[in-house]
């Protein structure tokens, strides 16, 4: 009985932490309509700041806590609101997803850059683990505070939202900011307050979680994601339901953990229960009451014709053949890895750029591809390549089936949950912590693929062929149907087609493509380990695609090329600044994050500007289209008045 | 283009079923009745008007017919077949096409591609062997969008985007066409041209149900008119009957009683 009570208390305390996380998410969502993917990263960063104050600079406990919760976190929230969120007003609905994902990567990268992750850090227990005994059970003061805090937070938020003028304004602001402003409210103040509160709540949860677990940027960020399930149960709006969900998840998880038999697979997934709940809740909840967003990205340029895509592809292969002899073996391997990444990004051009479906698990499919390649026929045969494509495609179809009706944010969250789950339950285990899997290079008769130079050309050719294939798909009936399904599912239905099979096929092809990329990705260095396919890398892939140009194969190449150049020229350097070793490889996340955040200011991103310039150059060279030709037709008459609308591209 | 169509229509005509019949359809949203016990028909080769003030339930009725909005109760028959349980895409395959008051274009495709996609959809479920490109070209010319064929539709003004929707509907060779304010956003002359097109389509045997605010257009092209007000069908009849109906004048036309 005491044992059971002990488990219950542990579950209850975890549940309270999940509830704190969920309340933070609900506060920003109800007031700004933005789901903050970076909530976990803010919690993690706050925990590090707290560690620095308390353990690093030996500031007394209570002062450190107050500094973080009342100064650092709210200030951070204000800055986030002012710099990142305010420009999002009136922007396409997928932009907040990109910006908050960018913030997540930025924070992880920054903390990794500042705090050397090879050194272990942990927070001592508060009150040195002291507590009191109830029915033979030791309850620490820390646990008591965690449990009480959520009660206090829940009551405080309830009073704030229901009873006070600002609380009513908080709820009004999301419905209609402009109307609130006209009624004399101050929507900006209200949003600032919401972000400040949300960040404080995140910081509180982060400190409590860091006390239970060791400080680690990636794990801590993921632990906070466990709380997202509770927020989704509350449909991102209902605080009491979210808190109830948080307690149920945590207590259920704890009891399952303690009472289920310790079979290999079960043991592995027990830690993943909140993530599984997140996935299931997303699938089960009715969607119409959730805000949806389609993930469209930049205004696309014209789709390249077969002739021009073949020409550009041939030029790229020729250029690679010319530079190959001048590259070192290491750089050749990095570059062939770059083409493998380009193929993975290309899978998102199809899925996200054309189909509007965001996937945050492309590296998972790549990992499955590498896994299949390494295990089939001694790891270097065409059978392995086929297995890579087949396994990734099959798992892709399995993931797609239940998630087909999800759009925008909810599909992103579901794929995020899947990636996080696979990180812990599959890659960590099957590849082994610290272990690795040998992956060969496919044997092609007459080509010595074991030479780095030949393999570099092989990956380049593979990328070019995949690009030509994806572009051909886009120009054909399947591509039109995919784009149509994204632009208007309702119109597709009233034109006699169901779009589900189209979306399923697109998701499967994209997963298979990522699997192929993964097989090549592993073949480049010859082996992979569990750290090659982290969920964070999947975020990088999506953001690279979104920033680089989610609608063009060139965008995939540019995104991957920038990453490769970074790997070659920046990542290996670790300069010492003020006695700190700066691991510049971490700048990868920082820079990707910053680029993604820039999308908030200009939704078309860098690619959109690029496209704009190209279109302008092109249209300068040819006569302007004539709108007045078919006189008498409604179109001609109308265009004479509003012809402007056609000529100007992305506004 | 209309040869195989008229065969089908003749058969329907002999069976004596109207192209569309809805019976006692009601829709309520959270206790508010958007549509209450509405019954109406639309016949082959005729333009039937469905008019009424804003919020009268016209678009909701269209959504019920096409299957996008499940009714609280009531039934829908297409050419005599009860389609009440069919999903939207299965209803479309019976020859129903529509346009939307709130635009539902494929914005990132060109005008031509919008129509081509529709023609390809049509071929995939109808077995019609006409090359989709020919169907799309013909429909494009018909709605007069030849000059903007290569423009992305989300860069077109609303009036033209509505014509893209009309062209897209035509590319599926419909037998029943539901037009939801397809003329709004067009100039007076353009609306006249559009009216001619509708009359031509009706002559080919297509049944058209027209929701329109332009009273002049409605009175010019419609043979029968149904009037909705606050979700209730307050009148059905010929042009003249509707014009003289006091209830209609009060609800809709009756500015002088204001």
């Amino acid at each position: 009985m005491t044992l059971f009570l002990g488990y219950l208390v542990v579950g209850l305390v975890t549940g309270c932490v999940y509830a704190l996380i969920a309340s933070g998410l609900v506060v920003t969502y109800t007031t700004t309509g933005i789901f903050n993917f970076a909530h976990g990263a803010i919690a993690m960063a706050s925990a590090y700041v707290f560690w620095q104050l308390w353990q690093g600079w030996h500031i007394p406990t209570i002062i450190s806590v107050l500094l973080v919760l009342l100064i650092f976190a709210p200030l951070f929230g204000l800055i986030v609101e002012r710099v990142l969120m305010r420009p999002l007003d009136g922007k396409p609905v997928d932009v907040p997803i990109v910006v908050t994902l960018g913030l997540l990567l930025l924070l992880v990268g920054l903390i990794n850059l500042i705090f050397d992750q090879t050194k272990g850090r942990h927070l001592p227990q508060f009150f040195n683990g002291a507590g009191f005994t109830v029915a033979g059970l030791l309850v620490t003061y820390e646990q008591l505070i965690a449990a009480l805090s959520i009660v206090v937070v829940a009551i405080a938020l309830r009073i704030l939202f229901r009873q006070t003028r600002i609380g009513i304004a908080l709820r009004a602001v999301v419905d209609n900011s402009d109307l609130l402003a006209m009624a004399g409210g101050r929507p900006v103040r209200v949003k600032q307050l919401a972000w400040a509160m949300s960040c404080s709540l995140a910081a509180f949860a982060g400190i409590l979680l860091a006390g239970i677990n060791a400080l680690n940027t990636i794990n801590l960020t993921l632990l906070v994601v466990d709380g997202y399930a509770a927020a989704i149960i509350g449909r991102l709006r209902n605080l009491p339901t979210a808190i109830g969900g948080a307690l149920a998840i945590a207590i259920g998880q704890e009891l399952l953990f303690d009472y289920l038999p310790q079979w290999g697979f079960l043991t592995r997934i027990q830690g993943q229960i909140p993530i599984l709940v997140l996935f299931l809740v997303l699938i089960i909840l009715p969607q119409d009451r959730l805000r949806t967003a389609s993930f469209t990205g930049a205004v696309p340029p014209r789709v390249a014709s077969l002739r021009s895509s073949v020409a550009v592809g041939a030029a790229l292969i020729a250029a690679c053949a010319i530079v190959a002899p001048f590259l070192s073996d290491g750089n050749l391997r990095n570059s062939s890895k770059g083409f493998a990444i380009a193929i993975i990004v290309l899978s998102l051009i199809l899925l996200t750029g054309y189909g509007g479906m965001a996937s945050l698990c492309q590296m998972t499919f790549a990992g499955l591809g590498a896994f299949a390649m390494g295990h089939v026929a001694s790891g270097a045969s065409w059978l392995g390549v086929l297995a890579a494509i087949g396994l990734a495609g099959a798992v892709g179809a399995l993931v797609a089936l239940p998630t087909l009706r999800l759009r925008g944010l909810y599909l992103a969250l579901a794929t995020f949950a899947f990636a996080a789950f696979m990180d812990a339950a599959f890659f960590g285990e099957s590849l082994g912590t610290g272990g690795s899997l040998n992956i060969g290079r496919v044997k092609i008769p007459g080509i010595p693929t074991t030479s780095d130079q030949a393999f570099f050309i092989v990956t380049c050719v593979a990328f070019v062929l995949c690009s030509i294939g994806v572009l051909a798909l886009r120009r054909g009936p399947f591509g039109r149907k995919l784009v149509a399904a994204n632009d208007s599912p309702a119109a597709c239905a009233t034109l006699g087609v169901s779009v589900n099979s189209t979306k399923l096929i697109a998701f499967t092809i994209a997963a298979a493509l990522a699997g192929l990329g993964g097989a090549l990705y592993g073949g480049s260095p010859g082996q992979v380990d569990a750290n090659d396919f982290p969920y964070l890398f999947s975020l990088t892939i999506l953001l690279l695609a979104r920033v680089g140009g989610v609608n063009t194969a060139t965008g995939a190449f540019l995104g991957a090329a920038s990453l490769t150049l970074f790997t070659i020229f920046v990542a290996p350097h670790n300069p010492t600044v003020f006695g700190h070793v700066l691991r510049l490889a971490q700048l990868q996340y920082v820079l990707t994050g910053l680029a993604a955040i820039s999308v908030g200011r200009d939704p078309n991103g860098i690619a959109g500007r690029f496209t704009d310039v190209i279109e302008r150059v092109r249209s300068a060279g040819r006569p302007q289209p004539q709108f007045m030709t078919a006189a008498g037709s409604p179109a001609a008459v109308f265009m004479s008045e509003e012809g402007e609308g056609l000529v100007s591209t992305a506004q | 283009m209309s040869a195989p169509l008229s065969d089908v229509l003749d058969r329907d005509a002999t069976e004596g079923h109207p192209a569309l019949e809805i019976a006692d359809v009601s829709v309520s949203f959270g206790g508010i009745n958007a549509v209450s016990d509405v019954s109406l028909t639309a016949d082959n080769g005729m333009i039937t008007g469905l008019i009424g003030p804003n919020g009268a339930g016209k678009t909701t009725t269209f959504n019920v017919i096409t299957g996008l909005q499940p009714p609280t109760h009531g039934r829908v028959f297409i050419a005599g077949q009860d389609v009440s349980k069919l999903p939207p895409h299965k209803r479309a395959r019976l020859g129903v096409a529509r346009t939307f008051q709130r635009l539902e274009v494929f914005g990132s495709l060109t005008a031509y591609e919008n129509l081509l996609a529709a023609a390809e959809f049509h071929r995939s479920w109808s077995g019609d062997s006409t090359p989709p490109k020919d169907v799309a070209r013909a429909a494009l010319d018909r709605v007069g969008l030849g000059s903007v064929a290569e423009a992305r539709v989300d860069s077109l003004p609303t009036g033209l985007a509505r014509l893209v929707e009309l062209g897209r509907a035509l590319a599926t060779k419909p037998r029943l066409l539901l037009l939801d304010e397809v003329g709004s956003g067009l100039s007076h002359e353009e609306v006249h041209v559009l009216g001619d097109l509708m009359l031509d389509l009706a002559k080919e045997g297509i049944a058209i149900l027209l929701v329109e605010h332009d009273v002049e257009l409605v009175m010019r092209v419609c043979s029968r008119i149904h009037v909705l007000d606050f979700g209730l069908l307050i009148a059905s009849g010929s042009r003249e009957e509707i014009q003289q109906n006091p209830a209609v004048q009060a609800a809709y036309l009756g500015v002088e009683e204001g």
Side-chain angles (χ1 to χ4, degrees):
Chain A
M1 188 60 197
T2 312
L3 200 60
F4 175 76
L5 280 179
Y7 293 149
L8 206 60
V9 167
V10 173
L12 200 67
V13 170
T14 316
C16 290
V17 178
Y18 289 170
L20 282 174
I21 296 161
S23 343
L25 285 170
V26 169
V27 165
T28 39
Y29 188 83
T30 45
T31 50
T32 64
I34 291 171
F35 179 86
N36 185 10
F37 269 97
H39 199 70
I42 293 169
M44 176 275 296
S46 304
Y48 269 88
V49 170
F50 176 65
W51 182 90
Q52 185 62 42
L53 293 173
W54 190 27
Q55 296 299 306
W57 292 334
H58 305 292
I59 295 171
T61 317
I62 184 71
I63 297 179
S64 300
V65 170
L66 292 179
L67 278 176
V68 171
L69 295 190
L70 300 181
I71 308 285
F72 168 77
L75 263 185
F76 187 80
L78 290 179
I79 294 170
V80 166
E81 193 281 329
R82 179 68 196 87
V83 179
L84 302 186
M85 300 305 157
R86 211 177 292 177
L88 297 185
D89 274 350
K91 291 277 161 61
V93 264
D94 70 311
V95 172
I97 302 178
V98 173
V99 170
T100 54
L101 283 174
L103 181 61
L104 188 168
L105 278 185
L106 176 69
L107 285 172
V108 170
L110 271 182
I111 296 294
N112 279 350
L113 197 63
I114 299 168
F115 297 90
D116 183 356
Q117 290 296 304
T118 54
K119 284 184 198 153
R121 286 183 188 77
H122 70 278
L123 292 172
Q125 283 194 293
F126 293 105
F127 314 106
N128 298 316
F132 54 93
T133 314
V134 183
L137 183 74
L138 179 74
V139 178
T140 65
Y141 292 127
E142 185 175 348
Q143 289 174 325
L144 183 70
I145 288 178
L148 285 180
S149 63
I150 186 60
V151 177
V152 174
V153 166
I155 293 172
L157 284 179
R158 173 100 192 158
I159 293 173
L160 184 70
F161 275 94
R162 300 277 161 185
Q163 316 276 321
T164 64
R165 200 182 144 74
I166 190 136
I168 291 159
L170 272 169
R171 286 188 295 148
V173 74
V174 73
D175 291 333
N176 197 328
S177 269
D178 298 336
L179 216 59
L180 177 66
M182 273 190 278
R186 300 178 67 183
V188 171
R189 280 270 173 283
V190 170
K191 288 180 184 180
Q192 283 173 336
L193 178 71
W195 280 100
M197 275 178 11
S198 174
C199 286
S200 279
L201 288 169
F204 196 13
I207 289 174
L208 289 173
L209 277 175
I212 305 169
N213 304 271
L215 276 171
N216 172 303
T217 45
I218 293 179
N219 290 349
L220 207 48
T221 305
L222 254 192
L223 275 172
V224 181
V225 173
D226 288 354
Y228 289 13
I232 296 286
I233 288 177
R235 290 183 171 181
L236 295 175
R237 293 186 165 279
N238 190 329
L239 207 52
T241 317
I243 292 174
L247 293 175
I249 292 170
I251 293 172
Q253 180 188 14
E254 185 60 35
L255 293 183
L256 284 176
F257 198 78
D258 297 313
Y259 289 109
L260 268 191
Q262 300 295 305
W263 297 331
F265 180 69
L266 276 181
T267 319
R268 254 178 280 155
I269 65 165
Q270 276 161 5
Q272 306 303 315
I273 285 169
I275 292 281
L276 283 174
V277 172
L278 173 61
F279 191 79
L280 290 177
V281 171
L282 282 166
I283 293 171
I284 294 163
L285 266 194
Q287 287 295 294
D288 50 349
R289 295 182 63 178
L290 295 171
R291 232 171 250 255
T292 56
S294 146
F295 212 94
T296 333
V299 173
R302 287 177 187 285
V303 183
S305 68
L306 181 63
R307 198 196 295 168
S308 74
S309 55
V310 169
V312 172
L316 180 64
I317 295 171
C320 285
I322 291 168
V323 284
F326 301 101
L327 294 175
S328 71
D329 282 354
N331 284 344
L332 281 169
R333 280 194 291 272
N334 277 329
S335 304
S336 43
K337 215 172 176 179
F339 277 119
I341 293 172
I343 293 175
I344 301 169
V345 179
L346 191 66
S347 73
L348 284 183
I349 304 298
L350 176 74
L351 187 67
T352 311
Y354 302 154
M357 292 174 270
S359 161
L360 292 176
C361 60
Q362 285 317 91
M363 275 323 276
T364 310
F365 296 134
L368 286 170
F371 179 82
M373 181 77 191
H375 278 288
V376 172
S378 73
S381 76
W382 282 102
L383 272 182
V385 176
L386 289 181
I389 294 171
L391 178 67
V395 175
L398 283 180
V399 175
L401 268 178
T403 53
L404 274 182
R405 62 193 192 95
L406 304 184
R407 299 190 77 189
L409 171 63
Y410 301 95
L411 182 60
L413 265 173
T415 51
F416 187 70
F418 175 70
F421 172 76
M422 289 293 282
D423 258 16
F426 183 74
F427 291 116
E429 292 294 325
S430 65
L431 296 177
T433 320
S436 63
L437 173 69
N438 286 329
I439 293 171
R441 295 171 177 179
V442 63
K443 293 193 182 75
I444 306 170
I447 300 173
T449 50
T450 42
S451 108
D452 288 323
Q453 209 168 317
F455 191 67
F456 169 58
I457 305 293
V458 166
T459 52
C460 174
V461 171
F463 169 69
V464 167
L465 290 179
C466 290
S467 301
I468 292 173
V470 166
L471 286 168
L473 215 52
R474 165 63 183 84
R475 283 190 307 268
F478 178 79
R480 267 188 291 281
K481 197 169 168 189
L482 183 60
V483 173
N486 178 37
D487 283 350
S488 173
C492 284
T494 59
L495 293 168
V497 293
S498 158
V499 295
N500 280 357
S501 60
T502 309
K503 291 165 88 176
L504 178 65
I505 293 168
F507 207 94
T508 307
I509 296 176
L513 208 51
L516 172 67
L520 296 171
Y521 180 87
S524 167
Q527 60 176 31
V528 292
D529 59 45
N531 295 325
D532 273 314
F533 309 102
Y535 74 99
L536 276 186
F537 203 0
S538 287
L539 304 192
T540 310
I541 295 284
L542 179 76
L543 296 183
L544 277 183
R546 180 65 172 77
V547 171
V550 78
N551 302 289
T552 63
T554 318
F557 174 75
L558 288 178
S562 57
L563 195 63
T564 306
L565 292 175
F566 174 86
T567 314
I568 293 175
F569 293 108
V570 185
H573 302 288
N574 298 308
T576 307
V577 181
F578 301 120
H580 269 284
V581 180
L582 285 186
R583 287 168 200 282
L584 291 192
Q586 295 301 334
L587 275 178
Q588 176 193 322
Y589 290 143
V590 176
L591 293 176
T592 314
L594 283 176
I597 284 168
S598 76
V599 168
R601 306 216 158 232
D602 176 8
N604 288 330
I606 302 160
R609 294 228 170 125
F610 203 62
T611 310
D612 236 21
V613 171
I614 291 176
E615 282 294 314
R616 240 173 261 161
V617 172
R618 267 196 194 163
S619 56
R622 64 175 179 231
Q624 290 299 315
Q626 295 287 315
F627 300 120
M628 292 292 291
T629 43
S633 83
V637 178
F638 205 89
M639 289 320 295
S640 62
E641 293 162 11
E642 298 213 20
E644 273 304 309
L646 269 180
V647 189
S648 62
T649 45
Q651 287 296 313
Chain B
M1 177 169 150
S2 57
L5 264 183
S6 49
D7 290 348
V8 180
L9 294 174
D10 288 345
R11 200 194 63 217
D12 282 346
T14 53
E15 286 174 6
H17 291 299
L20 167 74
E21 182 181 358
I22 71 173
D24 299 324
V25 163
S26 295
V27 179
S28 60
F29 299 113
I32 296 163
N33 291 328
V35 176
S36 311
D37 289 324
V38 168
S39 300
L40 53 82
T41 58
D43 289 311
N44 293 316
M46 268 172 54
I47 303 177
T48 309
L50 178 61
I51 62 173
N54 283 327
K58 306 182 294 287
T59 296
T60 306
T61 305
F62 269 24
N63 288 344
V64 170
I65 296 169
T66 47
L68 295 176
Q69 171 67 51
T72 318
H73 68 80
R75 298 208 284 173
V76 178
F77 300 88
I78 307 284
Q81 182 185 343
D82 187 345
V83 300
S84 309
K85 297 265 186 313
L86 293 184
H89 68 276
K90 295 249 168 81
R91 297 189 194 196
R93 292 177 187 187
L94 296 171
V96 184
R98 71 172 287 184
T99 69
F100 294 84
Q101 183 195 18
R102 250 189 73 210
L103 285 176
E104 290 282 354
V105 286
F106 305 140
S108 38
L109 297 178
T110 65
Y112 168 66
E113 283 177 317
N114 265 261
L115 276 56
L116 181 58
E120 283 166 351
F121 294 172
H122 176 250
R123 188 174 66 169
S124 72
W125 50 256
S126 71
D128 179 355
S129 59
T130 322
K133 286 185 178 172
D134 297 351
V135 177
R137 279 284 159 209
L140 199 65
D141 289 341
R142 215 154 178 200
V143 294
L145 287 175
S147 58
V148 292
E150 298 307 320
R152 273 172 58 107
V153 172
D154 55 13
S155 68
L156 289 180
T158 322
L160 291 195
R162 286 186 195 286
L163 293 181
V164 169
E165 287 202 347
L166 174 57
R168 200 174 58 181
L170 292 179
T172 66
K173 304 186 178 174
R175 288 191 277 159
L176 169 65
L177 187 55
L178 311 174
L179 303 179
D180 202 344
E181 295 189 26
V182 70
S184 75
L186 296 180
S187 75
H188 194 69
E189 298 82 52
E190 289 157 2
V191 169
H192 193 83
V193 176
L194 184 65
D196 291 344
L197 174 59
M198 287 182 208
L199 289 169
D200 283 349
L201 290 170
K203 254 184 229 152
E204 290 163 22
I206 298 177
I208 298 178
L209 186 60
L210 174 68
V211 163
E212 187 54 66
H213 277 301
D214 185 333
V215 178
E216 201 183 315
L217 176 64
V218 171
M219 290 303 162
R220 177 180 155 222
V221 299
C222 293
S223 323
R224 273 181 72 78
I225 296 168
H226 301 285
V227 187
L228 281 176
D229 189 25
F230 289 110
L232 289 166
L233 194 66
I234 56 168
S236 293
S238 68
R239 280 176 273 211
E240 295 73 23
E241 287 164 356
I242 294 300
Q243 271 167 326
Q244 262 123 57
N245 188 310
V248 176
Q249 287 175 355
Y252 188 58
L253 306 166
V255 271
E256 63 269 54
E257 294 186 18

